[in-house]
Amino acid sequence: MRLKGRKIFGGKAKGIALVSKKPLSFLGGVDPKTGIIKDVESDIRGESVKNRILVFPRGKGSTVGSYVIYQLKKNGVAPRAIIVEEAETIVATGAIIAEIPMVDKIDISKIKTGQFVEVDADKGEIIVEE
Amino acid sequence: MYLTKEEELILAGEYGFALQKAMEILVALGEIYGADKLIPIKSAQVAGVSYKNIGDAGIEFLKDFVDAGAKVSVYTTLNPAGIGEEVFMEKQREILNLYKAMGIEITSTCTPYYGANLPKFGDHIAWSESSAVVFANSIIGARTNREGGPSSLAAAIVGKTPNYGLHLEENRKATIIVEVEAKVRGFADYSFLGYHLGKALKNDVPYFKGLKVKALDHLKELGASMAATGSIALYHVEGETPEYKEALVDSVERLQVGDEELKEVKERFNAEWEEIDAIVIGCPHASIQEVKEIVELLKIREKPLKIPLLITLSRVVKALADALGYTDVIERYNGKMIVDSCLIVSPVEKWYQGIATNSGKASFYFSSAGLKVRLENTDELILGAP
């Protein structure tokens, strides 16, 4: 299945999807050292974002979250790509400074955790293996 | 979004990595929010300064940026830094030095407009401290969105910001009329009003009727409280703020605020004096008028305070207070002036269990940190404290 969105930060990546149905706060919500989700309200709590294609509706919380995304990359535990329904300042800025391919305007209900996803952020396109 | 030839070259990396990253951030935000182009800014004000807030992640980012040769291209000031134990302060100094290396003035304050960084009406700017954003938009009539730390830094480096949101005249019109029937007299009453409305209004542009404003600082606090509990970035006050005459458009909703709504906030922050270890004034940073008022109240009070009175303020206002002899008086009454810093971005819960303040913004953050809070007007605090 091919889904068309919009490029936020370019690049290509492929990997296994980790999908959250809830908005995600990186500050306080993701451990920058391990990449493990610790937000108590998150539906993917305890999962690691490391090397996953991270999929969620939108970011929330403090703008400091951008720096947490940067730290994830520095520590080698960042997701390979980020897919959201709606990009906002925090996650977009985080993806840019950490150089993680990011696409928005994707109907994330079409993606399930565990599916293999190919991301071509330059084209704003993703392919979900069925 | 349209980019000039030069902007395209920056984006392509022709001017180096730092400018490229900064431009990537601006272009992405411009695309997300539907900007038509980038516009030049007159100044920037950058948040993300306290080690408590940005942590090691922020330090690493800033370090890499500095190594890549990042320099600001417009006048830029900083948000308040944190204060803490030795290790904390070491990290804090490192952060400030990194910002300094980018050419940013190390005036760490949430009230840059009391001195170093004062825009004029109509100026486009990129500020990121929420209370300074609402002050600049509403009271000065400058134009800024609520920037995040990294996006205001990117704008400072490029000298431009994407043209969307409050940079556009049509988005500066009132979206709701707030009829104030409640009695608002002092600083804390404006806090009660702002605290209540920040929660009730989301990201509206309120137009206030029925406010007879006695002091500029009261407007400052109204905006700061609304920006703390909500995301208000601009408001108009009939007869007071510079754009109120053009702000009203037909058929916007109305909302009444009476004493009852304000009482609810008041009751939320009514800790007993026995539970309070310090009085905190200066959120946002105190003006010289606020300092003067405190000095006059202390003189009426006659006896020193039993608990410390901490006044946070900018270096500029502190210098003025020193010159006018206010600092000496305040110290005689067990007061302390704290510059460049802010208690709500410091690990204050390690030091105190209860704080009395006149600020709705401070009340919001102190109670989030688990402290007991007493919120009262300045005169009630100084005259009523043990």
Side-chain angles (χ1 to χ4, degrees):
Chain A
M1 178 177 42
R2 193 180 289 264
L3 298 172
K4 184 82 183 136
R6 180 174 68 167
K7 167 186 129 176
I8 299 295
F9 186 75
K12 291 184 178 65
K14 44 183 116 174
I16 306 293
L18 173 63
V19 184
S20 167
K21 292 192 171 58
K22 293 184 170 183
L24 185 62
S25 167
F26 280 86
L27 182 72
V30 186
D31 185 334
K33 291 196 176 70
T34 61
I36 290 171
I37 308 269
K38 50 183 188 175
D39 182 347
V40 288
E41 286 170 25
S42 175
D43 52 346
I44 52 171
R45 187 175 183 212
E47 298 274 356
S48 171
V49 300
K50 182 183 174 182
N51 290 337
R52 306 293 284 271
I53 306 295
L54 183 60
V55 184
F56 56 102
R58 70 193 68 83
K60 64 168 185 177
S62 164
T63 61
V64 178
S66 309
Y67 295 127
V68 175
I69 297 174
Y70 189 77
Q71 184 92 323
L72 288 169
K73 182 65 177 251
K74 283 255 152 184
N75 291 334
V77 294
R80 287 183 186 162
I82 294 173
I83 297 170
V84 294
E85 274 177 358
E86 186 194 341
E88 39 54 66
T89 316
I90 309 165
V91 179
T93 305
I96 292 162
I97 63 179
E99 312 210 311
I100 298 170
M102 175 170 170
V103 175
D104 84 334
K105 297 201 178 300
I106 296 284
D107 177 3
I108 65 161
S109 69
K110 298 210 158 102
I111 315 168
K112 304 223 159 17
T113 293
Q115 278 179 312
F116 187 78
V117 181
E118 275 185 62
V119 179
D120 185 342
D122 296 314
K123 287 190 188 150
E125 213 170 68
I126 67 166
I127 298 168
V128 183
E129 201 166 78
E130 282 157 86
Chain B
M1 185 168 68
Y2 167 78
L3 293 182
T4 65
K5 269 269 153 52
E6 196 194 22
E7 289 161 1
E8 293 277 10
L9 289 174
I10 294 173
L11 192 61
E14 295 286 323
Y15 294 80
F17 174 78
L19 263 167
Q20 182 185 19
K21 279 286 128 190
M23 186 58 95
E24 278 174 358
I25 292 172
L26 300 183
V27 170
L29 296 180
E31 298 283 353
I32 291 169
Y33 298 111
D36 58 344
K37 59 180 178 185
L38 296 174
I39 48 171
I41 52 164
K42 292 280 177 63
S43 79
Q45 191 266 349
V46 173
V49 179
S50 168
Y51 177 60
K52 185 187 179 189
N53 287 349
I54 71 169
D56 294 323
I59 293 180
E60 282 210 42
F61 170 73
L62 294 174
K63 212 183 274 171
D64 291 349
F65 231 41
V66 168
D67 289 345
K71 287 267 185 257
V72 297
S73 63
V74 294
Y75 193 78
T76 305
T77 55
L78 283 183
N79 235 26
I83 38 178
E85 315 304 329
E86 211 171 310
V87 180
F88 184 99
M89 290 315 284
E90 213 170 284
K91 299 270 195 184
Q92 189 61 73
R93 269 190 296 276
E94 194 181 347
I95 293 168
L96 292 173
N97 285 334
L98 287 165
Y99 278 124
K100 196 174 174 182
M102 288 189 240
I104 294 176
E105 301 278 32
I106 308 305
T107 56
S108 300
T109 177
C110 46
T111 58
Y113 44 81
Y114 286 151
N117 194 351
L118 175 62
K120 66 180 195 313
F121 183 88
D123 281 353
H124 292 279
I125 57 176
W127 285 19
S128 54
E129 147 62 28
S130 69
S131 77
V133 164
V134 69
F135 191 102
N137 272 321
S138 314
I139 298 169
I140 297 172
R143 278 104 171 89
T144 178
N145 287 317
R146 274 165 69 97
E147 299 283 350
S151 69
S152 61
L153 182 59
I157 289 167
V158 174
K160 293 177 181 179
T161 194
N163 190 33
Y164 71 92
L166 293 177
H167 292 286
L168 304 172
E169 293 304 312
E170 68 260 32
N171 296 328
R172 301 181 66 85
K173 306 292 179 199
T175 59
I176 188 162
I177 294 171
V178 178
E179 293 166 340
V180 182
E181 287 152 4
K183 273 191 286 301
V184 281
R185 170 182 76 84
F187 201 92
D189 299 322
Y190 281 86
S191 299
F192 298 144
L193 182 61
Y195 192 101
H196 168 73
L197 289 172
K199 290 204 294 181
L201 293 183
K202 306 294 178 251
N203 57 353
D204 275 301
V205 178
Y207 179 100
F208 287 93
K209 278 178 180 280
L211 273 185
K212 290 201 177 53
V213 183
K214 283 193 221 107
L216 178 63
D217 296 305
H218 294 168
L219 284 181
K220 172 182 74 170
E221 183 53 33
L222 173 66
S225 293
M226 285 195 289
T229 61
S231 51
I232 303 283
L234 167 66
Y235 65 87
H236 305 285
V237 181
E238 198 162 76
E240 296 282 348
T241 56
E243 287 167 79
Y244 82 91
K245 282 181 186 157
E246 298 87 48
L248 270 191
V249 287
D250 293 340
S251 69
V252 293
E253 276 180 67
R254 282 171 184 261
L255 178 78
Q256 277 86 27
V257 182
D259 289 316
E260 209 40 45
E261 284 89 351
L262 269 50
K263 214 174 119 200
E264 262 174 48
V265 183
K266 195 173 178 154
E267 280 164 5
R268 207 189 152 97
F269 300 116
N270 61 357
E272 297 295 327
W273 277 112
E274 294 78 57
E275 301 172 301
I276 303 297
D277 328 284
I279 303 165
V280 173
I281 290 179
C283 178
H285 279 173
S287 69
I288 195 67
Q289 291 94 330
E290 290 177 76
V291 175
K292 183 181 184 188
E293 184 190 3
I294 293 165
V295 165
E296 285 166 356
L297 288 165
L298 287 169
K299 285 179 176 165
I300 294 168
R301 182 190 155 91
E302 285 185 323
K303 55 179 192 298
L305 295 147
K306 285 197 178 119
I307 51 174
L309 163 68
L310 309 173
I311 303 170
T312 45
L313 69 180
S314 68
R315 242 170 224 286
V316 180
V317 175
K318 169 68 163 41
L320 203 48
D322 291 349
L324 294 168
Y326 295 155
T327 308
D328 289 342
V329 179
I330 284 164
E331 284 172 356
R332 267 209 307 279
Y333 283 86
N334 195 20
K336 196 177 168 204
M337 308 284 251
I338 300 171
V339 294
D340 291 345
S341 191
C342 166
L343 289 157
I344 63 177
V345 297
S346 304
V348 67
E349 64 280 1
K350 288 184 187 163
W351 313 322
Y352 304 115
Q353 56 131 3
I355 280 178
T357 181
N358 60 359
S359 159
K361 173 173 180 167
S363 298
F364 176 75
Y365 286 106
F366 288 144
S367 67
S368 309
L371 276 79
K372 298 216 168 71
V373 177
R374 182 181 182 93
L375 174 54
E376 267 185 324
N377 285 319
T378 317
D379 54 349
E380 294 164 322
L381 284 176
I382 303 292
L383 301 177

